[in-house]
Amino acid sequence: MLATTQAELILTSAPEPSSAASAELAPAEVDLAAPAQNAVSTSATLPSELADTVWRGNQLGGGRAGFVASGFSALDAELVDGGWPVGCLIEVLQPQPSLLEWRLIGPCLRALVSGGRSVVVIGHPKRPNLVGLRHLGIEEENLLWVKVDLPSHRLWATEQAIRSNAAAAILTWLPQARPEQLRRLQVLAQGCEGPVFIIRPVHARHDPSPAPLRVFASLLVDWQLRVEIFKRRGAPLEAPLTLDSIPGGLQHVLTKRMRLPSQLIALTEAQRALGRPRHLAYSTARTAADAIARAASLA
């Protein structure tokens, strides 16, 4: 009861705030601008030498270590500084192992090996096709294939390749890598002068990853790649990219019809709808599919 009485005395003896004091304590009303307007006004107040070093979330962040042109102009336009970044991890997800990584990454390798350095391939599930790699400008002396199967061995080999900083580029298959392991590789990659590509399955898309750049690539019918950039330093890419990707060894082999398999499929369906015998329509489509499969296996 004593505590209650003291509290009542304190409350009753305290003077009520005046209207002027209340006005001073009330927060002032401020007109808020849109984020883009805030960004413009902020850059206007910064010195020019400092404004160039500030990165904002509504812009593509600039790379500090450099970049390598990907070989696809549409892809370069959506990547930091206009190409694959170096000094960090680049995570490439695909539906199944050894499906399209060379078609996506291969075009950037010709310029990288021109100085005599090698491309280090770690844990590739299949033996690299030297005939197809020669069309990418990679000779046998420019390829170092580390054949390892255990996840711990792949991780160790990747760490050593990044530490050495001697490779033109590193392609490593780490389907079972944990976030803390990738974080360690990301720290090491900051001192690497070449791009470091981590190839992983599509189900790793929802796993946390420290890689600043993450892309998901899949195949389309007409010798094209569908590339979705779902993590980058900057505003997210709303729509996936469609990239023309005919392997170099097939440029002068494929006919116009074979360059557009979707039209062959549509023709077969039309013939079937018009009443052409089923086995003839199936034979046309099967012959085209077999020819495309044989050509792709040699790429």
Side-chain angles (χ1 to χ4, degrees):
M1 295 298 295
L2 180 60
T4 303
T5 304
Q6 290 179 348
E8 292 176 351
L9 291 175
I10 293 173
L11 291 175
T12 54
S13 60
E16 295 184 0
S18 63
S19 58
S22 299
E24 294 178 358
L25 295 176
E29 295 183 359
V30 180
D31 294 334
L32 297 179
Q37 297 176 356
N38 286 333
V40 173
S41 62
T42 303
S43 61
T45 60
L46 293 176
S48 58
E49 62 274 9
L50 182 59
D52 295 337
T53 63
V54 176
W55 169 71
R56 298 174 179 84
N58 62 345
Q59 302 172 350
L60 284 180
R64 299 298 179 88
F67 68 96
V68 177
S70 69
F72 302 97
S73 57
L75 180 58
D76 288 342
E78 303 296 342
L79 295 177
V80 173
D81 288 335
W84 297 119
V86 300
C88 67
L89 298 183
I90 305 171
E91 194 170 346
V92 178
L93 309 184
Q94 56 181 343
Q96 65 186 62
S98 189
L99 180 64
L100 50 78
E101 62 274 2
W102 291 113
R103 290 173 60 181
L104 177 63
I105 302 172
C108 78
L109 300 179
R110 184 186 299 272
L112 293 176
V113 301
S114 60
R117 295 197 299 174
S118 299
V119 175
V120 178
V121 179
I122 302 172
H124 198 296
K126 297 181 180 179
R127 184 182 183 88
N129 188 344
L130 291 177
V131 177
L133 292 179
R134 286 193 179 98
H135 292 286
L136 299 174
I138 304 175
E139 298 294 335
E140 186 174 358
E141 59 270 18
N142 300 128
L143 180 67
L144 176 60
W145 177 32
V146 183
K147 189 177 184 302
V148 287
D149 296 326
L150 294 178
S152 59
H153 293 177
R154 292 184 182 186
L155 187 65
W156 182 86
T158 302
E159 287 189 10
Q160 303 312 308
I162 295 176
R163 286 180 183 274
S164 67
N165 195 21
I170 299 173
L171 282 73
T172 179
W173 276 253
L174 298 174
Q176 301 173 348
R178 299 191 302 271
E180 62 271 16
Q181 295 172 336
L182 294 176
R183 193 175 302 111
R184 176 181 176 86
L185 295 180
Q186 167 62 19
V187 173
L188 294 175
Q190 294 177 5
C192 190
E193 298 178 357
V196 181
F197 296 94
I198 307 294
I199 316 298
R200 305 189 70 198
V202 64
H203 62 73
R205 174 170 182 160
H206 301 290
D207 296 342
S209 172
L213 177 60
R214 305 182 74 192
V215 302
F216 169 60
S218 58
L219 291 176
L220 296 178
V221 178
D222 294 330
W223 298 101
Q224 294 175 324
L225 299 178
R226 181 183 184 274
V227 178
E228 180 182 351
I229 305 175
F230 62 94
K231 180 183 178 182
R232 62 177 178 175
R233 193 181 183 191
L237 184 64
E238 296 181 356
L241 302 174
T242 300
L243 308 177
D244 293 329
S245 176
I246 299 179
L250 304 180
Q251 288 284 355
H252 306 290
V253 176
L254 295 177
T255 63
K256 290 185 178 180
R257 295 183 65 189
M258 298 297 290
R259 288 172 181 261
L260 298 173
S262 61
Q263 294 185 1
L264 291 176
I265 297 174
L267 176 62
T268 302
E269 295 297 331
Q271 291 174 343
R272 183 178 302 173
L274 292 174
R276 186 179 181 185
R278 182 182 180 89
H279 69 280
L280 294 180
Y282 177 79
S283 176
T284 302
R286 186 62 183 174
T287 301
D290 290 343
I292 294 172
R294 287 195 301 268
S297 65
L298 297 176

